[in-house]
Amino acid sequence: MTDHTADGPAEDGAAEGALPADEQALLDAFTRLAPQGSLRWIFEDAMRRLSTPTERSTWIEPWDGLPEDLWDRGRGARASERVMGDVINVVAQELTEYTQRIVDDARRTAPEEVAVYDALRYLAARVERLESATDPLGIRPGELDLPVADHTEWAASVPSWAGVGTGDTVVVGELDDRSVIDALVRAGVTVDAVDPRAAVVWSVRSVDGPGPVDGWGPVAVGDVVDHLRGVAPSSCAAVVLSGSVDRASLAGKVELVDGALRVLVPGGTVVVLARDQAAWDAEIAPPVRDLLPGRPLHPRTWALVLARRGLADTEVHIADRGTVHAVVARRPR
Amino acid sequence: MNGSRTGGIHLFVPMLHRRDAVGEHTRTLRDLLGDAGVESRIYVELPDPETVDETRPFQEYEDDAVPGDVLVYQVATSSDMAGWLTGRPEPLVLNYHSITPPSSFASWNNGIARLQTGALQELADLATHTVLGIGVSEFDAAELAAAGCATTLVVPVVNVDLSPPAPDAVRATELAASAAGRGPWWLSVGRLAPNKAHQDTIAALFVARATTSPDAHLTIVGAPTEPSYAAALHRYVADLGLTGAVEFVSRISDAELAARYDAADVLVMLSEHEGFGVPLVEAMIHGLPVVAFDAGAVAEVVGDAGVLLDTKNPRRVAAEVAGLLGDPGRVGSLVAAGRGRPEQLGLREAGSVLVTALLGVADATRTTAMPARPGAPVRP
């Protein structure tokens, strides 16, 4: 018997032949791990061209099917999610162009040029050290047992703080106890949700299909920063940040705020739901706490950070019965 | 065999690796030719320390050449040998094992992508200089023809052991113990290289655990031949929270591999590009049901003895595996069909067919004036 299977009807509004959004998001999470476009990928490629005799003797043009977003993908996968942030991206761009020039010159003039080889090797070693210094253990959110934050104290308030309703789009990263998303959905808002923990995302999925749960739209699997980078500028009425804002380093926190600011319409709202520091220390297992790049900021510190990044009208809501504080700010009109 | 034969049938391969499909095929073919009374040596571009005693640098062939020689090039990647072979006057046979598309590697290692681009260019050059192209599958033979080979033949790989080694008893006991109380055990066998698309199997496992089979787990057996891809697989597993559910294994003995085939419940193979797919046959020999994506030669190898998927939609893959494993009757039918598949594929006689084909080339060469192929320079 031959068991050929066939695609069923398109699900979740997906075009025929296309994967449902949630499954595509799952596969995209792997695609983003490809090093193409990263500094390491480019250096290693350059080193190979200089050090591999066969490639030197028979020059073959690079495969030309590179995607147009090559640089962004590499940046998202490697550098920006780490501590170095935008600075290293600028440096990386410069180094990349410099390296390419060196390789091109070396190929034309003196393939055996030891100084060029050594210079590249030196630069490659520096990159390697930078990368290992920023993320020495390479621990991923999915590996850590992170307790789900209880947002119920503020969930009902989020739509009114943000002043959103039917027709508005709100980015929510991450899911946590889902109460904020449920409240936004009840208010008629289109929710664009993202969480790097695939298990959390799929826990809200039905067994039989990818269809919306309780009115939710698709939920992306991915880093919140990367997700924000894919959202059109000035297109969202509000951004709700939780979870990752607590775990990220200070540079990572700033990158999240900047990403949110970029996608907000003028007058749009950022809501930071930050865990209480004492509760964080008490609830999270020491190994997890120690290995995370960052810890929650105090609400007053958040107010300062948001102001320094250009947000205004900051309000701080200290937790009364829960362990999550809310900090609300707006993009100036 | 013809005892008056003066020339030999010599095999050329960029590197000769043990436990590698092309390497083992080449070694087996050399032995088969030897058994047939034909002198056969293996020439390489680069020596592998593990097989260096079995090979000679290809540049030394110039001194070894005698009239009546036939050269057989094992094609799978780029090599300086290719250009050199096109300049040789001896009849050239291509034994083609598929060239992985450059696009598979570009995101991970542009050097490999360039090499594969070069390999495709070399194949096109070689094809017009060859007297016979032998593909290990219809899929490969079609690629040879498309590259310009005027005469092609399909002979499957000759190194599949139809009587596999007994499983390592100690390992088998350990694996049985570790499987107790756990859910379905998926197995995937193949190098950690991008064209193998192990990430799709991992994604499908993730969905299976999130939906129908919370305790399903996966073992991936394969050497990490592309380090950046292998690292990404490990990271993906961590991202998906599957660290305890996915196991990576490499450099194991044939006996341990046999134990793993026996311990698993299903072989899941979602490779993007397969010129043959030896693990499919190995699984069938071990009585393991197969769920595979229909790519390259997979369909012709699996035939009616497995579940062929025309999508890698993770939810669909997970459902197919769950549906299959939940239907013992269907599993039994597929396993029974699988056990007969090696015979249907002609694997038992593949060696003798290949040797006969090569002897035919040698005999044709001996009875006709040199050069035996177009474009080759005449030796002084």
Side-chain angles (χ1 to χ4, degrees):
Chain A
M1 99 215 69
T2 300
D3 275 310
H4 272 282
T5 64
D7 269 325
E11 299 165 298
D12 201 18
E16 192 173 354
L19 278 179
D22 58 348
E23 292 175 83
Q24 189 61 55
L26 191 62
L27 300 180
D28 288 347
F30 181 78
T31 304
R32 284 195 297 272
L33 297 176
Q36 186 178 62
S38 72
L39 202 53
R40 179 189 294 262
W41 183 89
I42 290 167
F43 266 120
E44 288 177 349
D45 194 40
M47 294 293 283
R48 268 193 300 269
R49 293 185 201 188
L50 284 179
S51 60
T52 306
T54 50
E55 292 201 37
R56 218 164 48 197
S57 61
T58 355
W59 171 250
I60 299 165
E61 288 299 318
W63 185 71
D64 62 2
L66 303 180
E68 291 181 356
D69 65 340
L70 179 152
W71 175 252
D72 286 337
R73 283 167 43 170
R75 190 171 68 168
R78 286 282 177 183
S80 290
E81 66 185 10
R82 313 277 168 79
V83 178
M84 304 306 289
D86 284 342
V87 173
I88 197 169
N89 290 325
V90 173
V91 174
Q93 183 69 61
E94 293 296 318
L95 282 175
T96 300
E97 292 173 3
Y98 173 63
T99 305
Q100 298 284 25
R101 282 201 302 274
I102 289 175
V103 172
D104 291 344
D105 290 346
R107 204 171 62 239
R108 276 196 298 270
T109 57
E112 287 80 28
E113 179 56 63
V114 174
V116 173
Y117 184 86
D118 284 350
L120 274 173
R121 198 169 53 185
Y122 172 78
L123 289 171
R126 295 294 299 168
V127 170
E128 194 132 335
R129 284 188 60 186
L130 277 174
E131 285 203 343
S132 60
T134 54
D135 187 17
L137 297 179
I139 290 178
R140 314 289 293 177
E143 293 179 86
L144 302 174
D145 183 16
L146 296 164
V148 171
D150 179 358
H151 291 160
T152 52
E153 182 171 359
W154 308 117
S157 304
V158 169
S160 58
W161 286 339
V164 292
T166 304
D168 290 325
T169 297
V170 176
V171 175
V172 179
E174 301 165 353
L175 272 61
D176 282 302
D177 69 350
R178 313 172 206 171
S179 58
V180 169
I181 299 179
D182 286 336
L184 289 166
V185 168
R186 279 196 298 274
V189 168
T190 300
V191 175
D192 177 3
V194 56
D195 197 299
R197 296 161 297 177
V200 172
V201 173
W202 278 70
S203 69
V204 303
R205 290 289 158 201
S206 65
V207 170
D208 298 327
V213 176
D214 299 333
W216 288 29
V219 182
V221 179
D223 291 318
V224 180
V225 165
D226 284 345
H227 188 77
L228 285 169
R229 193 173 289 127
V231 176
S234 306
S235 63
C236 298
V239 176
V240 181
L241 299 173
S242 67
S244 56
V245 286
D246 292 332
R247 299 192 302 271
S249 64
L250 179 58
K253 288 173 167 59
V254 169
E255 196 170 17
L256 280 163
V257 171
D258 289 352
L261 190 56
R262 189 186 69 84
V263 304
L264 283 177
V265 296
T269 306
V270 170
V271 178
V272 175
L273 297 171
R275 297 289 291 274
D276 179 79
Q277 291 174 328
W280 174 270
D281 289 341
E283 291 174 15
I284 295 185
V288 177
R289 200 172 61 214
D290 291 347
L291 294 174
L292 289 172
R295 67 190 293 267
L297 299 180
H298 190 279
R300 291 208 305 271
T301 314
W302 264 121
L304 177 62
V305 169
L306 294 173
R308 288 297 291 261
R309 302 315 292 179
L311 288 140
D313 304 331
T314 306
E315 306 163 14
V316 173
H317 303 270
I318 300 296
D320 184 26
R321 53 185 168 83
T323 59
V324 174
H325 310 294
V327 183
V328 183
R330 287 178 183 78
R331 177 183 168 182
R333 292 182 186 276
Chain B
M1 289 301 107
N2 189 336
S4 63
R5 185 180 308 284
T6 55
I9 299 176
H10 301 297
L11 312 179
F12 291 76
V13 62
M15 280 185 86
L16 184 73
H17 299 300
R18 296 295 312 273
R19 297 175 296 281
D20 165 75
V22 177
E24 294 299 346
H25 170 88
T26 306
R27 295 175 74 248
T28 304
L29 176 56
R30 175 202 56 196
D31 295 343
L32 289 168
L33 288 165
D35 292 344
V38 180
E39 184 179 14
S40 180
R41 292 185 293 272
I42 298 176
Y43 292 89
V44 297
E45 178 185 352
L46 297 167
D48 179 331
E50 199 176 2
T51 62
V52 68
D53 293 340
E54 302 180 52
T55 64
R56 308 186 65 170
F58 75 93
Q59 296 90 341
E60 292 184 6
Y61 175 75
E62 183 67 49
D63 296 330
D64 299 339
V66 297
D69 276 356
V70 172
L71 312 186
V72 182
Y73 181 42
Q74 306 292 332
V75 186
T77 187
S78 177
S79 167
D80 281 356
M81 286 174 134
W84 178 85
L85 283 166
T86 58
R88 293 296 309 175
E90 294 84 2
L92 177 64
V93 176
L94 298 185
N95 197 175
Y96 184 60
H97 301 265
S98 207
I99 294 171
T100 305
S103 56
S104 295
F105 280 96
S107 301
W108 306 94
N109 184 329
N110 201 34
I112 301 293
R114 283 200 305 276
L115 281 177
Q116 297 304 88
T117 303
L120 291 171
Q121 293 169 359
E122 291 167 7
L123 178 65
D125 293 340
L126 287 162
T128 57
H129 286 78
T130 190
V131 295
L132 177 63
I134 301 173
V136 297
S137 61
E138 295 284 357
F139 174 75
D140 278 1
E143 286 197 345
L144 279 173
C149 260
T151 308
T152 61
L153 181 67
V154 177
V155 184
V157 289
V158 298
N159 59 302
V160 177
D161 190 351
L162 299 184
S163 304
D168 181 317
V170 173
R171 202 73 189 98
T173 304
E174 292 171 354
L175 292 170
S178 74
R182 299 183 75 181
W185 196 337
W186 298 20
L187 178 68
S188 185
V189 180
R191 292 174 294 110
L192 305 192
N195 57 304
K196 301 297 180 185
H198 291 297
Q199 72 276 10
D200 293 330
T201 308
I202 292 168
L205 178 83
F206 172 83
V207 173
R209 288 170 60 89
T211 56
T212 56
S213 307
D215 297 324
H217 52 118
L218 165 68
T219 295
I220 298 175
V221 179
T225 54
E226 176 43 57
S228 65
Y229 176 74
L233 286 178
H234 283 274
R235 192 176 301 178
Y236 192 45
V237 165
D239 282 352
L240 299 186
L242 294 175
T243 302
V246 178
E247 171 191 31
F248 291 92
V249 176
S250 64
R251 301 188 184 286
I252 61 175
S253 66
D254 291 345
E256 178 168 353
L257 179 59
R260 290 192 174 272
Y261 276 121
D262 289 347
D265 294 302
V266 60
L267 180 85
V268 181
M269 184 158 151
L270 304 182
S271 179
E272 290 284 355
H273 184 269
E274 284 292 338
F276 187 81
V278 170
L280 297 166
V281 177
E282 290 176 341
M284 290 189 276
I285 291 171
H286 282 276
L288 189 63
V290 169
V291 175
F293 179 60
D294 183 1
V298 167
E300 59 181 290
V301 171
V302 170
D304 60 357
V307 178
L308 276 179
L309 305 171
D310 57 10
T311 174
K312 293 207 275 186
N313 173 329
R315 189 176 268 108
R316 183 64 52 78
V317 175
E320 287 292 336
V321 172
L324 174 64
L325 296 182
D327 185 347
R330 189 167 165 227
V331 169
S333 299
L334 290 176
V335 167
R339 290 196 190 281
R341 195 69 194 136
E343 294 289 346
Q344 294 169 358
L345 289 167
L347 293 177
R348 191 172 299 284
E349 61 273 16
S352 60
V353 171
L354 184 54
V355 169
T356 300
L358 295 176
L359 290 175
V361 172
D363 288 342
T365 302
R366 200 177 47 168
T367 56
T368 57
M370 295 282 279
R373 58 190 167 92
V378 179
R379 289 182 60 174

